Amino acid sequence: MKVSLFITCLCDVIYPDVGKDVVEVLERLGCEVDFPAGQTCCGQPAYNSGYRREAVKAAKPMIEAFADSDYVVAPSGSCAAVIHEYEKWFPGEPVWQAKARQLAAKTYEFTQFLVDVLKVTDIGARYKARAAYHTSCHMTRLLGVKEAPLKLLEHVEGLELVPISNAYDCCGFGGTFAVKMAAISTAMADEKISHVEAAKADVLIGSDGGCLMHLKGRIDRLGQPVEVKHIAQVLNGR
């Protein structure tokens, strides 16, 4: 099965090792992974800030970059969800709407692809930790992916997954929200971290680099002894 990696901006710049983990897991499961060089930002920051024309300029090269791909996999539910919104970005442009619809139909978040397409929940991963899982808003509410990451983590040998209070509350990142509403964003992150602390988890796992970057920043500043990991790192045993 041929799969194209959509690395996303945050993984490319801040968490490149997550991209490597995604590739290694996919290859271990028999996928042939390529990396279309023409890919760029999905356009989400511009779109969410009201710069719709600039967002469309980012979407078009993304659509063209993955035109020949069989499947597109991203280590971010948020960015994958945006691609599923592309068709709405081209009102009155039926050709681009059709291209956007084709890309959305073959684009998956990483855990969603493993569970829904490859039909695997146990990949033989081992990771010893007492861990909490952070559910990202865009991944659960826009993309509709809730159970896939939990099914995969339940089968990781040595991993004790503990529940946290108000698990589906936002962490406060929200892309530009964290910049525009810094005080509120910080308070939301601190509340989330307090629930992780109450659960006595020593690792916080998530599926979206934006949320993890935001929470890790606050955890480091608060001096909490909690590691932050992308789920691809855990499934790859790192």
Side-chain angles (χ1 to χ4, degrees), residues 17-18 20-21 24 126-127 229 233-238:
D17 286 348
V18 169
K20 295 178 182 176
D21 289 316
E24 289 177 4
R126 298 178 180 178
Y127 194 87
K229 294 281 185 180
Q233 295 175 297
V234 175
L235 295 178
N236 203 27
R238 290 202 304 117

Side-chain angles (χ1 to χ4, degrees), residues 71-92:
Y71 293 97
V72 180
V73 173
S76 164
S78 178
C79 299
V82 165
I83 289 180
H84 283 255
E85 297 290 313
Y86 273 179
E87 186 178 351
K88 301 175 185 175
W89 294 14
F90 297 97

Side-chain angles (χ1 to χ4, degrees), residues 40-226:
T40 181
C41 173
C42 64
Q44 181 175 191
Y47 189 81
N48 290 348
S49 300
Y51 294 98
R52 306 298 169 87
R53 185 180 303 171
E54 287 76 8
V56 169
K57 286 183 179 178
K60 285 184 175 179
M62 282 290 290
I63 291 171
E64 292 172 334
F66 293 106
D68 296 327
S69 300
D70 293 339
Y71 293 97
V72 180
V73 173
S76 164
S78 178
C79 299
V82 165
I83 289 180
H84 283 255
E85 297 290 313
Y86 273 179
E87 186 178 351
K88 301 175 185 175
W89 294 14
F90 297 97
E93 297 185 70
V95 173
W96 280 105
Q97 284 181 328
K99 291 180 179 179
R101 191 160 52 246
Q102 291 171 2
L103 176 58
K106 59 185 178 185
T107 298
Y108 296 84
E109 180 274 333
F110 173 57
T111 65
Q112 179 189 29
F113 182 77
L114 297 184
V115 174
D116 293 350
V117 179
L118 296 184
K119 306 295 183 185
V120 295
T121 53
D122 185 350
I123 65 170
R126 298 178 180 178
Y127 194 87
K128 188 175 182 180
R130 179 181 170 88
Y133 180 75
H134 168 62
T135 58
S136 299
C137 299
H138 283 192
M139 181 165 160
T140 57
R141 296 166 189 165
L142 295 184
L143 196 60
V145 178
K146 297 180 180 178
E147 300 300 324
L150 299 176
K151 288 180 179 178
L152 290 161
L153 292 176
E154 287 171 358
H155 288 89
V156 175
E157 184 178 332
L159 186 72
E160 181 186 2
L161 196 61
V162 295
I164 59 174
S165 300
N166 303 322
Y168 284 96
D169 281 1
C170 175
C171 69
F173 177 57
T176 53
F177 175 82
V179 177
K180 295 176 180 175
M181 303 287 181
I184 297 174
S185 172
T186 299
M188 294 171 73
D190 288 354
E191 183 177 354
K192 175 71 70 173
I193 293 165
S194 72
H195 296 318
V196 176
E197 183 183 20
K200 301 186 184 306
D202 49 35
V203 177
L204 177 61
I205 301 169
S207 300
D208 200 304
C211 302
L212 297 181
M213 178 184 68
H214 180 56
L215 290 169
K216 179 172 174 30
R218 285 305 297 165
I219 286 171
D220 289 349
R221 285 170 175 77
L222 293 169
Q224 297 290 344
V226 179

